[in-house]
Amino acid sequence: MSLDLKTTALHGWHVEKGATMADFGGYEMPLWYDSAKAEHLSVLTHAGLFDTSHMAVILLSGSQSYSLLQNTFTKDLDACIGKNRGPLVPGRSTYGAFLNAHGETIDDGIINQLAKDDYMVVVNAGMGAVIAGHLQDQLYEGVEVVDLTDRFGKIDIQGPHSAKILWKVLALPEVAFAELPYFSFKGHFLSDTARAKEITLKDGTPLMLSRTGYTGEFGFELFVPPEATEKVWQLLLDAGEDLGITPCGLAARDSLRGGAVLPLSHQDIGHWPFVRHPWPFALPYDASCDNFTKDFLGADALLAAEDAPYTYAFVGKDARKVDTEEAVVLSNTDQEIGTVLTCVTDMAIGLVDGEIVSIASPDRPEGFAPRGLCCGFLKTDRVLEIGTNLILLQGKRRLPVRVVTDVRPHRTARKAIKQMI
Amino acid sequence: MKDVSDLILPENLRYTETHEWARKEGDEIVMGLSDYAQDQLGDIVFVELPDVGDSFEGGGEFATVESVKAASEVYLPVDGTITAVNEELEGSPELVNGSPYEEAWVVRFKPANPADFENLMDVSTYRTFCGDQ
């Protein structure tokens, strides 16, 4: 193990299980245990368990906390919930990004409103201090910003059996799961907070149960007291044994999120303006889509970013990938037009008569056993039509890919809990 | 990831520094990827094979295996000409993980200079080499 890398409470468990470990965001984390492919597939067919304790949590409280977030986050907190774009309210969550004055992404994250003037922001590994510092630099009076990096455990349970498994370990599951739509949460992992009594395990351990995730599939993110992390992990593995639960590493997490067209911060979004990408829902566009419904740090730069690059999702024709460090994007006339940001293989999908089909698609052919399709994101200097055929070139390898709006069909993230119990 | 002591490395094979195995069969050599290689790469999801009749120099790239991590080149241990390829791998690339020495042989080739085979590492040298990686 590298001496420079941090570890989570589950590091010993990962190593004991023989996981292939790697640096991710300054933490030594499992890439896979036995088989990244089996782990990926388990999230579509059963349930996968991910250690995501390397992520960071920041608490904001005080009378100006709403104003501070509204002025630094790309989502309009007054218009972000549901189809009718209602305001963020306690118990609900919203996804967006924090930008610098040039409109470039510092990090993306999810804001959870705990109570009036009380927020919890979830950002990426190693970004707790950076985002906390960025928020404090805005010099808002009357806001307390606390970086909770490494002071909680985070376990994601993702896949169709997630709720059934949680049902076995929660103290009052029917209460926990009542009115818990996509991007909402209940409970808290800090035992001295008001929400801590909302959700507990059968043994009384408090936790935050969040209807979110990074796989595109039905599931939850659990925030637990740091000392309870190993216990909760083992509890879920035991409870899920007969439902096919599988511990999953970051390789499966990466390939699942690729197929779900979700960006990886500092790879698919980063030091370029946060516009012209497949995630316009993270920006506060008004009905005209030419302007924003609010002002925020970086907004002027985004509206003026005429030279900003374009980011598109792509899908290939088989499982072959390119190395993003080396590959370039070629137009159909072999003109070099861009670079590759992410290139992964979604092992749960394949082409049937030119259409992408998943092992979870209700209309899949009998005996459907796909070999996987390469997918990811590319960055180019020009507008591309959806459906455009391109080549990813690495050395002598030429992979034909197509610009798409979506990759893995029939994802379950938004399914109602009552359908999944 | 496996400890070096847990690697399955058959005694009767020779090995390369790029983690291929090779076995003499008559005047031909059969080769594939070692247990160390498949363990490091993780799940193999795609294999690209050469054509029968193609010639390569020793150490030359002749095939590509695609794992969940990345595409990796496979190198011919010594100068030679491909006489057979294992087409099973195109449909079932996971054989490289499950049966690296039996079902997942990659190619059979005729060495330009049969004596070159003797320069490849024996099992004890290779196991030490893996431990130093």
Side-chain angles (χ1 to χ4, degrees), chain A residues 124-408:
Chain A
N124 289 282
M127 294 305 291
V130 175
I131 295 297
H134 172 69
L135 294 172
Q136 282 158 339
D137 287 347
Q138 310 307 313
L139 301 176
Y140 273 63
E141 300 274 330
V143 184
E144 192 188 4
V145 179
V146 181
D147 172 18
L148 288 185
T149 295
D150 299 333
R151 287 154 66 188
F152 63 94
K154 181 169 178 287
I155 296 171
D156 296 5
I157 182 167
Q158 305 272 294
H161 294 339
S162 301
K164 288 176 221 159
I165 294 165
L166 281 171
W167 189 280
K168 297 184 185 182
V169 302
L170 292 171
L172 292 167
E174 61 279 13
V175 176
F177 289 145
E179 293 175 48
L180 191 65
Y182 192 46
F183 270 74
S184 70
F185 67 92
K186 287 178 181 174
H188 203 301
F189 56 96
L190 295 175
S191 53
D192 57 349
T193 55
R195 282 187 172 272
K197 289 190 177 58
E198 268 182 5
I199 303 257
T200 64
L201 300 179
K202 283 182 172 150
D203 70 0
T205 304
L207 73 153
M208 179 183 282
L209 179 66
S210 175
R211 249 319 285 285
T212 46
Y214 191 46
T215 62
E217 301 304 327
F218 177 80
F220 303 84
E221 295 182 287
L222 275 56
F223 297 83
V224 301
E227 66 279 5
T229 313
E230 288 173 274
K231 177 187 73 180
V232 177
W233 179 265
Q234 195 58 54
L235 207 58
L236 290 166
L237 284 179
D238 294 344
E241 197 179 356
D242 60 340
L243 290 165
I245 198 168
T246 303
C248 298
L250 295 186
R253 187 168 158 85
D254 201 33
S255 49
L256 285 159
R257 69 95 189 169
V261 198
L262 299 172
L264 176 60
S265 191
H266 308 123
Q267 184 167 306
D268 302 313
I269 52 179
H271 297 300
W272 61 93
F274 185 70
V275 282
R276 298 175 171 174
H277 53 54
W279 312 286
F281 53 81
L283 285 163
Y285 283 114
D286 66 11
S288 75
C289 291
D290 292 329
N291 218 326
F292 296 141
T293 56
K294 68 161 188 176
D295 192 21
F296 60 98
L297 185 59
D300 291 345
L302 295 187
L303 294 172
E306 288 176 8
D307 296 331
Y310 296 82
T311 303
Y312 294 100
F314 67 83
V315 68
K317 295 192 164 142
D318 55 43
R320 287 177 299 163
K321 297 184 292 295
V322 290
D323 183 339
T324 55
E325 299 281 319
E326 295 176 18
V328 294
V329 180
L330 301 184
S331 70
N332 58 6
T333 56
D334 268 9
Q335 186 187 1
E336 191 174 321
I337 61 165
T339 56
V340 184
L341 301 170
T342 282
C343 189
V344 294
T345 302
D346 186 327
M347 274 91 62
I349 56 174
L351 291 173
V352 177
D353 299 331
E355 298 291 322
I356 307 173
V357 175
S358 149
I359 58 165
S361 294
D363 56 350
R364 66 190 181 275
E366 199 175 330
F368 182 59
R371 306 232 62 89
L373 296 177
C374 125
C375 59
F377 303 104
L378 58 87
K379 194 166 77 165
T380 173
D381 59 1
R382 64 200 64 192
V383 175
L384 298 174
E385 296 284 326
I386 300 304
T388 301
N389 291 311
L390 301 168
I391 299 287
L392 306 186
L393 175 73
Q394 181 195 351
K396 57 184 192 292
R397 177 172 263 205
R398 294 170 65 93
L399 298 188
V401 300
R402 180 166 50 98
V403 175
V404 293
T405 53
D406 205 1
V407 179
R408 191 172 68 248

Side-chain angles (χ1 to χ4, degrees), chain A residues 59-71:
Chain A
L59 297 180
L60 282 86
S61 56
S63 60
Q64 292 299 303
S65 49
Y66 159 83
S67 299
L68 172 52
L69 290 172
Q70 183 71 325
N71 288 318

